[in-house]
Amino acid sequence: MNILLIGAGAVGVFYASKLVAAGKANLTVLARSDAPALAKNGGEYRIVEPDGEYAIRPRVLTSLDELDAPPDVLLVALKVNPSLDQAELCRPAVGPNTLIVIIENGIGNEEVFRRAFPGNEIMGCVAYLGAGRIAPAVVRRYDSGRLIGGAYPPGRPLSPLARRLAEDFRASGVPFEETPNIVERRWIKLLWNAPYNTICVLGRSADTVDVMACPETERLCADVMREVVRIAASEGVTLDPALIQKNLDFTRSFAAYKPSTLQDFEAGRPMEVEAILGAPLRVAGRNGVEAPRMATLYALMKLIMR
């Protein structure tokens, strides 16, 4: 299977590398910011896991003009940035039979690609991965690694190629779960992202242990999750309120972790504030749902992004 990765951050590199290390994929990476480091180390990405490490050497492109032919699978793991038209960036890499797989935070990500490429199969994925870049072209996985994917729009069956990719992920050691409703799964992931990704930044680089050790911020997380539940319901997506306590218990159980938005903040990179807060707040405004805590977090995040 020929795979092209666009978005060579921790998430994209980790999942693509698992396929390569298991001999399941020929990988090409569009690596613009990593290009100098890769030129120095022979084109090697290094992945550090709790039980060891390994390296891969994919084909590296600095421009899609260097691409010989469209891939079987286009793996998109970009940070959601309102100033970046992801579909147009990816357009040179999309052939008539290319499967587009989107592993990103936030809601509404797949719809952008559906409008741009109505004839292509799209599979959305939600990642539960504790990982970060510890150096250029070096990714460390701290926790989990689960991946949940499904067809977009929901209800469509996965093609043989998409099912093969799911099977290859599982064979590569990635717990991959197929879902009939990727939109619902995105809202479920947002339950965690909306509070923790932003509160950790606003808490002066607080990690998840810091947030859960403070009763006031733990209550704030729960209140933000309740707002997410109400916004999702206004879109016809019913989330079990029990997921709120489940998320709190889950976060309390694992080691100190800096969410991806905090990692971006500390590295001086753009943060996914629009994907995590802006997009659901626009849904709330359209549907007449009050979300004062999320609106406050959004305003403060916008302030520090000036």
Side-chain angles (χ1 to χ4, degrees):
M1 187 181 296
N2 294 315
I3 295 178
L4 170 64
L5 171 63
I6 297 183
V11 170
V13 169
F14 173 77
Y15 285 115
S17 74
K18 298 297 281 186
L19 294 170
V20 174
K24 300 295 184 180
N26 300 311
L27 180 64
T28 300
V29 178
L30 178 63
R32 293 167 295 181
S33 61
D34 283 338
L38 292 168
K40 290 180 181 179
N41 69 7
E44 179 180 280
Y45 277 101
R46 188 158 58 92
I47 293 82
V48 182
E49 298 205 75
D51 56 352
E53 62 179 79
Y54 61 94
I56 62 166
R57 291 180 177 82
R59 182 188 177 197
V60 175
L61 309 180
T62 56
S63 168
L64 290 180
D65 292 337
E66 304 167 37
L67 194 64
D68 301 321
D72 301 316
V73 176
L74 173 62
L75 185 59
V76 184
L78 291 160
K79 295 288 184 180
V80 180
N81 183 338
S83 65
L84 174 65
D85 188 330
Q86 293 194 8
E88 285 307 306
L89 171 65
C90 296
R91 189 173 294 279
V94 179
N97 300 312
T98 299
L99 167 64
I100 302 171
V101 179
I102 302 167
I103 310 179
E104 294 177 345
N105 285 325
I107 57 172
N109 311 38
E110 291 85 7
E111 182 60 21
V112 174
F113 283 86
R114 188 196 67 80
R115 290 196 303 264
F117 307 107
N120 289 82
E121 181 182 14
I122 297 172
M123 182 164 71
C125 290
V126 173
Y128 289 86
L129 173 67
R133 294 166 62 100
I134 57 175
V138 182
V139 171
R140 178 185 291 275
R141 180 180 74 85
Y142 301 96
D143 205 334
S144 191
R146 186 164 60 107
L147 199 59
I148 299 174
Y152 185 86
R156 294 186 177 185
L158 292 176
S159 69
L161 177 60
R163 291 197 176 280
R164 176 184 163 194
L165 179 64
E167 291 167 2
D168 284 351
F169 270 125
R170 287 189 283 263
S172 303
V174 173
F176 188 97
E177 175 189 340
E178 294 180 32
T179 176
N181 193 338
I182 188 60
V183 173
E184 177 187 60
R185 290 291 191 161
R186 286 211 173 278
W187 282 102
I188 291 173
K189 178 72 182 296
L190 192 66
L191 280 174
W192 195 93
N193 284 145
Y196 290 103
N197 281 51
T198 53
I199 291 170
C200 285
V201 173
L202 295 170
R204 296 194 304 174
S205 293
D207 59 36
T208 52
V209 168
D210 296 324
V211 172
M212 297 306 290
C214 174
E216 290 79 9
T217 50
E218 180 177 347
R219 283 197 296 270
L220 177 58
C221 288
D223 288 340
V224 170
M225 290 184 211
R226 292 186 186 97
E227 292 183 352
V228 172
V229 169
R230 291 196 293 270
I231 298 170
S234 76
E235 286 286 278
V237 178
T238 301
L239 302 182
D240 184 352
L243 289 170
I244 295 171
Q245 190 61 49
K246 184 177 179 180
N247 270 286
L248 295 172
D249 294 341
F250 166 75
T251 307
R252 196 179 293 107
S253 72
F254 62 68
Y257 175 64
K258 293 186 175 184
S260 59
T261 304
L262 176 55
Q263 294 179 38
D264 290 338
F265 175 69
E266 292 183 337
R269 297 188 294 260
M271 295 182 287
E272 294 184 300
V273 175
E274 291 302 323
I276 292 171
L277 289 176
L281 280 171
R282 284 187 286 276
V283 173
R286 185 174 69 243
N287 296 341
V289 178
E290 295 293 328
R293 294 166 185 83
M294 291 175 67
T296 300
L297 294 178
Y298 181 63
L300 293 171
M301 290 295 289
K302 295 285 281 188
L303 182 63
I304 67 172
M305 288 169 60
R306 291 183 306 166

